[in-house]
Amino acid sequence: MIAQPPFNIVAVAYTDEQTEREDMLDILRCRDSVLSALDFMDYRALPFPIRPDDLADMPALASRLIEASPLCVFNLFEGFSFDSLAEIRFCSLLEMIDIPFTGNGSYTLGKCLNKAHAKTILMEKGIPVPMGWVALPGKVPSFRGIKGPFFIKPCQEDGSVGIDANSMVNERDLKEVVSRKLTEYPRGIIVEEFLPGHEFNVGILGNDPYEVQSVSMLDYSRWTHRNPFLGYTSKWDPSDRDFQMKFIDLGEDFPMLTRARIMDTALKAGRALGCSGYFRVDLRERNGEIYVLEVNPNPDINDDSGLARQCRTRGLTY
């Protein structure tokens, strides 16, 4: 008689590759946090690594998933350091073989990973975003219509990849920096007006109706002689001098109407992009107006992550 697998298996899918990129290595920390929490809750947590060769043979990967017979897949897979779009292909496979999974679906991942497309959708819904353009190899726009400084970021990367000290530039250096960045990120560069005000992020759970967990703020004016934005190393490298700049949850002294506008804008942005499960919306303020910078589906949920901290303010344990 063939033994049946336990009914409470949760397969924890994660990126497994040889890399030194800190954002990808952090996925392994998150894997361990999730495995530990699932074990504590009496699920049978099954580590399920996704390697580059696995996505080259989708039928074999599908068979491995089906054979594991999980109750669901806890999806921590975020593509590879050399292929961010792999995240979408794996999610599409889960949808195709009809295995339930945590987090956002392939449609939302695809829209959010293409930042230019996401901005277009938000604009069509009347949600404020910074004015900007997309530069592609051999097709660099004239950048007319707004004054600098400008902010530059890759169009199809995640985890602040490609954002560094050269990401905020003046008009004089703009074309030279964009051309250099395009050699590193040929899928496109977004150039947009830099918004100098407070930065906010809103952690959200649910499948619409959503539940806002908390609103956090980073007040750059408190940090003299620092970049007025967070780059890749300031998020992932403890030795970076900007690493200590952290978001803090809004206190009771923060204007309630402004908080309400931030939350309302974040919820509209998540709804416009079809978000589900859990996501974070990043916003900036300028002269009292709130703008959406990005919608981040499946953000970091390590036990020391910002989203986990925000959930704790609502009384949720990890």
Side-chain angles (χ1 to χ4, degrees):
M1 184 176 181
I2 299 175
Q4 295 297 314
F7 71 91
N8 64 338
I9 293 175
V10 176
V12 180
Y14 62 94
T15 303
D16 186 12
E17 65 166 320
Q18 295 296 318
T19 181
E20 296 182 358
R21 256 182 45 182
E22 292 296 332
D23 61 313
M24 305 306 291
L25 294 175
D26 192 68
I27 295 172
L28 303 180
R29 290 182 57 241
C30 194
R31 171 204 61 188
D32 293 342
S33 296
V34 169
L35 288 171
S36 177
L38 289 169
D39 285 337
F40 179 78
M41 297 173 66
D42 293 328
Y43 287 97
R44 182 178 172 186
L46 174 69
F48 197 92
I50 308 294
R51 303 179 179 91
D53 289 346
D54 292 325
L55 290 189
D57 189 350
M58 285 291 203
L61 179 57
S63 296
R64 188 155 65 96
L65 282 162
I66 294 169
E67 185 178 353
S69 191
L71 177 70
C72 72
V73 171
F74 203 114
N75 187 18
L76 299 178
F77 180 68
E78 295 190 20
F80 302 109
S81 58
F82 58 90
D83 183 8
S84 57
L85 299 181
E87 178 181 14
I88 304 167
R89 298 198 300 275
F90 176 67
C91 191
S92 296
L93 176 65
L94 293 175
E95 292 166 342
M96 182 182 70
I97 61 179
D98 200 24
I99 292 181
F101 58 91
T102 62
N104 286 271
S106 62
Y107 170 86
T108 297
L109 295 178
K111 297 296 180 290
C112 293
L113 190 57
N114 187 327
K115 295 179 173 60
H117 195 175
K119 285 186 67 170
T120 298
I121 293 172
L122 294 175
M123 289 172 62
E124 289 174 348
K125 296 291 186 179
I127 299 169
V129 297
M131 185 183 297
W133 314 265
V134 177
L136 297 168
K139 189 179 179 182
V140 178
S142 63
F143 306 120
R144 294 176 181 173
I146 63 174
K147 297 181 180 179
F150 303 91
F151 193 72
I152 299 173
K153 58 188 177 184
C155 187
Q156 296 190 46
E157 293 291 345
D158 198 6
S160 296
V161 170
I163 298 178
D164 55 28
N166 296 315
S167 290
M168 192 172 77
V169 297
N170 56 34
E171 189 171 359
R172 182 190 62 192
D173 300 326
L174 182 59
K175 287 191 175 181
E176 187 273 329
V177 174
V178 168
S179 296
R180 189 170 70 247
K181 288 284 189 180
L182 281 172
T183 64
E184 300 177 64
Y185 304 100
R187 288 202 294 249
I189 294 292
I190 289 183
V191 180
E192 58 190 18
E193 57 181 340
F194 179 76
L195 304 180
H198 297 146
E199 186 168 341
F200 305 94
N201 66 49
V202 183
I204 301 172
L205 302 183
N207 297 330
D208 196 11
Y210 302 127
E211 294 182 6
V212 172
Q213 301 306 296
S214 182
V215 179
S216 302
M217 180 180 74
L218 180 49
D219 180 1
Y220 290 98
S221 67
R222 296 180 56 237
W223 305 91
T224 57
H225 309 297
R226 304 292 178 89
N227 289 324
F229 60 89
L230 292 179
Y232 180 83
T233 56
S234 61
K235 287 187 177 181
W236 301 109
D237 183 1
S239 67
D240 188 286
R241 71 170 192 163
D242 292 341
F243 186 79
Q244 60 187 298
M245 293 198 299
K246 300 293 185 184
F247 284 84
I248 59 173
D249 294 328
L250 294 185
E252 295 300 323
D253 57 336
F254 194 83
M256 290 185 62
L257 287 178
T258 304
R259 184 201 299 259
R261 286 203 347 266
I262 293 167
M263 291 169 52
D264 182 62
T265 303
L267 291 169
K268 287 178 178 176
R271 200 167 286 122
L273 293 168
C275 290
S276 61
Y278 60 102
F279 60 100
R280 189 189 73 234
V281 181
D282 300 336
L283 313 99
R284 278 254 190 176
E285 172 268 337
R286 181 179 63 186
N287 299 328
E289 296 297 321
I290 304 299
Y291 299 80
V292 173
L293 299 180
E294 290 186 19
V295 177
N296 189 343
N298 300 6
D300 179 20
I301 53 168
N302 218 319
D303 57 2
D304 60 356
S305 67
L307 183 57
R309 187 198 72 246
Q310 290 178 325
C311 290
R312 288 187 180 102
T313 67
R314 288 287 301 272
L316 297 179
T317 67
Y318 188 73

